mmCIF file of all heavy atoms in Angstrom:
data_model
loop_
_atom_site.group_PDB
_atom_site.id
_atom_site.type_symbol
_atom_site.label_atom_id
_atom_site.label_comp_id
_atom_site.label_asym_id
_atom_site.label_seq_id
_atom_site.Cartn_x
_atom_site.Cartn_y
_atom_site.Cartn_z
ATOM 1 N N LEU A 1358 -49.267 -59.724 2.168
ATOM 2 C CA LEU A 1358 -48.807 -60.942 1.319
ATOM 3 C C LEU A 1358 -47.610 -61.626 1.845
ATOM 4 O O LEU A 1358 -47.587 -62.772 1.940
ATOM 5 C CB LEU A 1358 -48.730 -60.470 -0.089
ATOM 6 C CG LEU A 1358 -48.504 -61.580 -1.119
ATOM 7 C CD1 LEU A 1358 -49.669 -62.592 -1.138
ATOM 8 C CD2 LEU A 1358 -48.244 -61.004 -2.459
ATOM 9 N N THR A 1465 -59.723 -56.484 -12.076
ATOM 10 C CA THR A 1465 -58.734 -56.013 -11.099
ATOM 11 C C THR A 1465 -58.793 -56.869 -9.875
ATOM 12 O O THR A 1465 -57.679 -57.247 -9.336
ATOM 13 C CB THR A 1465 -59.103 -54.548 -10.729
ATOM 14 O OG1 THR A 1465 -58.921 -53.697 -11.895
ATOM 15 C CG2 THR A 1465 -58.262 -54.040 -9.596
ATOM 16 N N ASP A 1468 -57.123 -60.233 -10.433
ATOM 17 C CA ASP A 1468 -55.688 -60.103 -10.440
ATOM 18 C C ASP A 1468 -55.154 -60.105 -9.024
ATOM 19 O O ASP A 1468 -54.094 -60.709 -8.729
ATOM 20 C CB ASP A 1468 -55.272 -58.900 -11.173
ATOM 21 C CG ASP A 1468 -55.296 -59.106 -12.702
ATOM 22 O OD1 ASP A 1468 -55.550 -60.239 -13.152
ATOM 23 O OD2 ASP A 1468 -55.229 -58.063 -13.468
ATOM 24 N N ARG A 1469 -55.818 -59.406 -8.148
ATOM 25 C CA ARG A 1469 -55.295 -59.349 -6.749
ATOM 26 C C ARG A 1469 -55.530 -60.697 -6.111
ATOM 27 O O ARG A 1469 -54.579 -61.074 -5.212
ATOM 28 C CB ARG A 1469 -56.085 -58.191 -6.047
ATOM 29 C CG ARG A 1469 -55.403 -57.924 -4.686
ATOM 30 C CD ARG A 1469 -55.936 -56.742 -4.046
ATOM 31 N NE ARG A 1469 -55.300 -56.502 -2.726
ATOM 32 C CZ ARG A 1469 -55.743 -55.686 -1.781
ATOM 33 N NH1 ARG A 1469 -56.774 -54.867 -2.027
ATOM 34 N NH2 ARG A 1469 -55.021 -55.576 -0.700
ATOM 35 N N LEU A 1472 -52.591 -62.993 -6.521
ATOM 36 C CA LEU A 1472 -51.432 -62.852 -5.640
ATOM 37 C C LEU A 1472 -51.564 -63.825 -4.495
ATOM 38 O O LEU A 1472 -50.676 -64.459 -4.110
ATOM 39 C CB LEU A 1472 -51.344 -61.404 -5.171
ATOM 40 C CG LEU A 1472 -50.911 -60.423 -6.210
ATOM 41 C CD1 LEU A 1472 -51.045 -58.985 -5.629
ATOM 42 C CD2 LEU A 1472 -49.466 -60.631 -6.581
ATOM 43 N N PRO A 1510 -49.694 -60.741 -11.192
ATOM 44 C CA PRO A 1510 -48.893 -59.523 -11.347
ATOM 45 C C PRO A 1510 -47.852 -59.333 -10.367
ATOM 46 O O PRO A 1510 -47.840 -59.979 -9.288
ATOM 47 C CB PRO A 1510 -50.041 -58.478 -11.214
ATOM 48 C CG PRO A 1510 -51.034 -59.123 -10.243
ATOM 49 C CD PRO A 1510 -51.025 -60.525 -10.589
ATOM 50 N N ALA A 1511 -46.967 -58.490 -10.720
ATOM 51 C CA ALA A 1511 -45.862 -58.105 -9.851
ATOM 52 C C ALA A 1511 -46.496 -57.518 -8.523
ATOM 53 O O ALA A 1511 -47.536 -56.786 -8.563
ATOM 54 C CB ALA A 1511 -44.965 -57.104 -10.384
ATOM 55 N N ALA A 1512 -45.879 -57.777 -7.406
ATOM 56 C CA ALA A 1512 -46.455 -57.300 -6.135
ATOM 57 C C ALA A 1512 -46.472 -55.725 -6.126
ATOM 58 O O ALA A 1512 -45.617 -55.143 -6.589
ATOM 59 C CB ALA A 1512 -45.592 -57.791 -4.987
ATOM 60 N N ARG A 1513 -47.571 -55.283 -5.607
ATOM 61 C CA ARG A 1513 -47.792 -53.839 -5.621
ATOM 62 C C ARG A 1513 -47.812 -53.369 -4.140
ATOM 63 O O ARG A 1513 -48.017 -54.119 -3.233
ATOM 64 C CB ARG A 1513 -49.136 -53.439 -6.302
ATOM 65 C CG ARG A 1513 -49.202 -53.816 -7.697
ATOM 66 C CD ARG A 1513 -50.441 -53.212 -8.299
ATOM 67 N NE ARG A 1513 -51.656 -53.840 -7.734
ATOM 68 C CZ ARG A 1513 -52.265 -54.797 -8.196
ATOM 69 N NH1 ARG A 1513 -51.798 -55.425 -9.338
ATOM 70 N NH2 ARG A 1513 -53.375 -55.276 -7.639
ATOM 71 N N ARG A 1514 -47.682 -51.993 -3.975
ATOM 72 C CA ARG A 1514 -47.817 -51.437 -2.637
ATOM 73 C C ARG A 1514 -49.209 -51.665 -2.173
ATOM 74 O O ARG A 1514 -50.135 -51.767 -2.888
ATOM 75 C CB ARG A 1514 -47.441 -49.962 -2.653
ATOM 76 C CG ARG A 1514 -45.965 -49.652 -2.888
ATOM 77 C CD ARG A 1514 -45.722 -48.184 -2.852
ATOM 78 N NE ARG A 1514 -44.320 -47.912 -3.108
ATOM 79 C CZ ARG A 1514 -43.407 -47.890 -2.247
ATOM 80 N NH1 ARG A 1514 -43.600 -48.265 -1.014
ATOM 81 N NH2 ARG A 1514 -42.099 -47.603 -2.600
ATOM 82 N N GLY A 1515 -49.408 -51.639 -0.831
ATOM 83 C CA GLY A 1515 -50.787 -51.795 -0.240
ATOM 84 C C GLY A 1515 -50.937 -53.054 0.471
ATOM 85 O O GLY A 1515 -51.924 -53.251 1.160
ATOM 86 N N TRP A 1516 -49.986 -54.026 0.288
ATOM 87 C CA TRP A 1516 -50.038 -55.270 1.058
ATOM 88 C C TRP A 1516 -49.277 -54.957 2.313
ATOM 89 O O TRP A 1516 -48.967 -55.487 3.113
ATOM 90 C CB TRP A 1516 -49.401 -56.417 0.307
ATOM 91 C CG TRP A 1516 -50.251 -56.806 -0.904
ATOM 92 C CD1 TRP A 1516 -50.290 -56.267 -2.070
ATOM 93 C CD2 TRP A 1516 -51.191 -57.792 -0.848
ATOM 94 N NE1 TRP A 1516 -51.255 -56.864 -2.843
ATOM 95 C CE2 TRP A 1516 -51.804 -57.841 -2.125
ATOM 96 C CE3 TRP A 1516 -51.659 -58.762 0.092
ATOM 97 C CZ2 TRP A 1516 -52.795 -58.729 -2.480
ATOM 98 C CZ3 TRP A 1516 -52.635 -59.659 -0.288
ATOM 99 C CH2 TRP A 1516 -53.227 -59.588 -1.579
#
Side-chain angles (χ1 to χ4, degrees):
L1358 189 60
T1465 295
D1468 284 346
R1469 191 170 179 189
L1472 292 170
R1513 297 189 294 269
R1514 291 185 184 273
W1516 289 84

